[in-house]
Amino acid sequence: MSQETTSNLSLLFEKMWEDYCQISPQAKRIFNLFSTNGEVVLNDHIALRTFNISGIRIDDLAKVFETEGYRPSGEYHFPQKKLYAKHWQHENEQLPKIFISEFKLEEGSTELQRIVTKLVKELTPESVKQPHFLYSGRPWKITTQEYLKLAEESEYASWMAAFGFRPNHFTINVNAFKKFNSIEKVNEFLQKNGFKLNMSGGLIKGTPEEMLEQSSTMAEKIKVSFVDGVLEIPSCYYEFAKRYPQKDGKLYHGFIAQSADKIFESTNRY
Ligand code: NI
């Protein structure tokens, strides 16, 4: 891996982290909480969301990572939520995995399709190619009514419409922790410190047998401006992942669709 690649990626991840902490201040507080307790906070993966519309599909968003040496390493289906996802890995395992999901527009109602198509039309192909696109936020104008209409049908689509292109979550690599070296200990510590965790499908998603255990906070609500007013809506969440070795002794680096399905609900409004 060239030094250029390392610095391009670290700059990109730094910018993404800054944007993420700005709309999800709890992430910065949690990061600091573990750091001041002597832990080294490493990042297991960064997640992005999008719609499956030409120009902004999963593979379009992944281009910047592929240029820097990332390779597609797994795909996942979420039929109930009308989502599809892929993840990318780098040969340097210190670098976070990239998890990108998309809403399958053709499976939405006519009304949802109409609203989303209208929003995405405001994007220019040039803007998508800008290096800062992945932390540029919402590039379109949307009304509170449009947001609420989408939310009735898909929490995911409404989040995407309200927040746009930016990290949906970062994920703490629990394997790198010394004191809080299990998901149970992480969860207990966070709850003790007043953070609300996602209970959907249980506090811990996945098992050691599945080689991946995950938990996450519930996204905190922040004030977001729309064309016609302001709504207080869930922004981003922080995730925690502990990985276990495969039969060959190497750590499992994939994802479990059934667990990710529940983690998606961390941005639900209720
Ligand atoms: Ni995740």
Side-chain angles (χ1 to χ4, degrees):
M1 188 175 56
S2 73
Q3 275 190 341
E4 199 188 350
T5 287
T6 320
S7 65
N8 286 347
L9 283 171
S10 38
L11 184 66
L12 175 61
F13 294 149
E14 202 180 294
K15 294 285 186 190
M16 289 169 91
W17 171 252
E18 276 170 24
D19 173 76
Y20 169 72
C21 289
Q22 211 161 42
I23 64 163
S24 182
Q26 68 168 356
K28 188 73 188 167
R29 290 204 305 276
I30 292 171
F31 182 97
N32 290 341
L33 196 56
F34 284 116
S35 300
T36 54
N37 273 273
E39 299 288 13
V40 176
V41 182
L42 298 181
N43 191 13
D44 178 86
H45 66 270
I46 301 171
L48 294 158
R49 293 178 170 186
T50 191
F51 296 110
N52 69 340
I53 295 177
S54 174
I56 56 163
R57 302 187 67 126
I58 290 177
D59 289 337
D60 298 309
L61 267 52
K63 266 185 195 131
V64 50
F65 301 107
E66 290 195 337
T67 308
E68 304 296 344
Y70 273 87
R71 293 288 164 258
S73 307
E75 61 166 354
Y76 312 92
H77 297 272
F78 308 93
Q80 279 188 340
K81 292 190 169 64
K82 301 168 182 170
L83 305 176
Y84 170 67
K86 284 168 79 171
H87 98 265
W88 276 257
Q89 275 173 229
H90 201 281
E91 61 175 16
N92 175 359
E93 288 185 5
Q94 295 298 308
L95 291 171
K97 289 168 273 293
I98 307 295
F99 183 93
I100 313 179
S101 55
E102 65 186 12
F103 183 87
K104 295 187 278 179
L105 201 63
E106 69 281 7
E107 293 184 16
S109 69
T110 316
E111 180 64 358
L112 180 145
Q113 291 188 32
R114 186 192 64 77
I115 296 170
V116 171
T117 309
K118 191 200 80 173
L119 298 178
V120 173
K121 267 205 184 114
E122 291 183 42
L123 265 172
T124 59
E126 293 74 46
S127 64
V128 180
K129 287 185 197 126
Q130 295 299 312
H132 66 266
F133 183 67
L134 294 182
Y135 51 94
S136 61
R138 187 181 72 202
W140 43 65
K141 293 183 200 75
I142 175 171
T143 65
T144 55
Q145 282 313 304
E146 286 168 333
Y147 167 79
L148 293 169
K149 191 77 204 159
L150 293 178
E152 267 174 35
E153 188 174 334
S154 164
E155 293 277 0
Y156 180 103
S158 70
W159 186 94
M160 188 56 211
F163 290 100
F165 300 92
R166 54 178 15 136
N168 169 264
H169 62 270
F170 277 68
T171 308
I172 290 185
N173 172 355
V174 176
N175 294 66
F177 278 0
K178 298 212 157 45
K179 194 159 95 187
F180 301 97
N181 59 356
S182 72
I183 290 281
E184 286 88 349
K185 286 180 195 165
V186 166
N187 290 346
E188 201 191 324
F189 183 60
L190 290 173
Q191 287 182 317
K192 212 180 276 175
N193 280 278
F195 292 98
K196 203 174 159 209
L197 301 180
N198 175 346
M199 306 292 289
S200 177
L203 205 49
I204 301 175
K205 284 75 161 157
T207 60
E209 292 69 40
E210 289 171 295
M211 296 175 291
L212 174 61
E213 289 178 307
Q214 292 163 281
S215 70
S216 64
T217 65
M218 283 305 284
E220 63 200 307
K221 289 191 174 178
I222 63 163
K223 289 193 170 100
V224 173
S225 296
F226 293 83
V227 172
D228 55 337
V230 173
L231 291 177
E232 205 167 306
I233 60 171
S235 62
C236 297
Y237 56 92
Y238 211 179
E239 191 185 309
F240 315 95
K242 175 150 186 181
R243 297 182 178 276
Y244 292 86
Q246 309 169 136
K247 284 203 182 88
D248 64 5
K250 289 181 184 155
L251 273 193
Y252 175 68
H253 282 294
F255 293 85
I256 310 291
Q258 204 191 333
S259 301
D261 189 87
K262 302 297 177 206
I263 296 270
F264 277 124
E265 293 171 20
S266 308
T267 51
N268 281 10
R269 288 166 306 148
Y270 306 108

